[in-house]
Amino acid sequence: MLPADLDLSRVPEHVACVMDGNGRWATQRGLKRTEGHAAGEAALLDTVEGALELGVRWLTVYAFSTENWRRPVDEVKYLMGFNESILVRHRDDLHSKGVRIRFAGRRDWRVPRRLLRQMDISAEMTKDNKRMNLVIAFNYGGRAEIVDAVREIVRKG
């Protein structure tokens, strides 16, 4: 429900969110880190709903950074499956709401093939949607972007 005094003409076209701190949030409350990630899922869905309600055209969420590969192996495996599960469980609903799902970040050997396949299915399914673009930055990082840009410059001579 939007506040009556909200000026919709001042809503930005693009909003970006860094989804960080879910594990710390859970730990501070004596919960398992995985419970923090589950709470993060609910917050993400609320954010998407709010952005749709406000008419935000682009919402970028930073879901997994290149630095996250340094986490314990078990946590990384959990996060890969968790992110895949979120995508599969919510893409039909997002599609029905007119959300176009896109991805930014490296598609390298570390990302499980089954997750890449689900990313491709989601992007293809929603490619013609126009209400909002949801960009999921996955395996994305500032340092990696700089490295990739320099490599491309060198490649071009």
Side-chain angles (χ1 to χ4, degrees):
M1 187 146 139
L2 297 176
D5 61 346
L6 181 66
D7 182 357
L8 292 175
S9 69
R10 299 192 61 176
V11 172
E13 286 278 315
H14 191 169
V15 174
C17 302
V18 177
M19 299 188 296
D20 188 29
N22 295 329
R24 285 186 301 277
W25 176 88
T27 301
Q28 290 168 351
R29 286 159 179 76
L31 304 170
K32 292 186 211 172
R33 288 179 63 81
T34 54
E35 291 184 51
H37 297 304
E41 176 182 357
L44 168 64
L45 297 173
D46 286 348
T47 301
V48 170
E49 287 296 326
L52 284 167
E53 192 173 343
L54 289 170
V56 172
R57 302 292 300 153
W58 290 83
L59 175 63
T60 299
V61 295
Y62 293 85
F64 187 88
S65 75
T66 51
E67 289 78 19
N68 287 151
W69 293 110
R70 294 187 210 130
R71 292 180 180 207
V73 173
D74 287 346
E75 186 173 1
V76 170
K77 283 182 183 178
Y78 169 82
L79 289 171
M80 290 298 120
F82 183 67
N83 281 301
E84 179 183 0
S85 172
I86 289 172
L87 192 57
V88 171
R89 285 184 289 115
H90 297 290
R91 70 175 164 219
D92 289 336
D93 184 50
L94 293 169
H95 179 48
S96 73
K97 292 175 180 175
V99 176
R100 180 181 180 197
I101 303 171
R102 304 180 78 188
F103 297 90
R106 289 182 166 181
R107 295 175 59 96
D108 65 22
W109 59 272
R110 296 178 293 187
V111 181
R113 285 188 192 133
R114 70 180 189 281
L115 176 52
L116 291 172
R117 196 169 35 257
Q118 294 302 331
M119 291 164 69
D120 291 342
I121 290 168
S122 300
E124 179 63 26
M125 173 192 290
T126 63
K127 70 180 181 186
D128 296 324
N129 292 344
K130 306 245 185 282
R131 186 170 174 203
M132 184 175 77
N133 292 282
L134 173 61
V135 181
I136 302 170
F138 190 85
N139 198 23
Y140 185 91
R143 289 181 187 173
E145 290 299 304
I146 292 168
V147 168
D148 290 350
V150 170
R151 284 184 179 152
E152 181 65 14
I153 290 168
V154 169
R155 187 186 69 75
K156 289 183 176 180

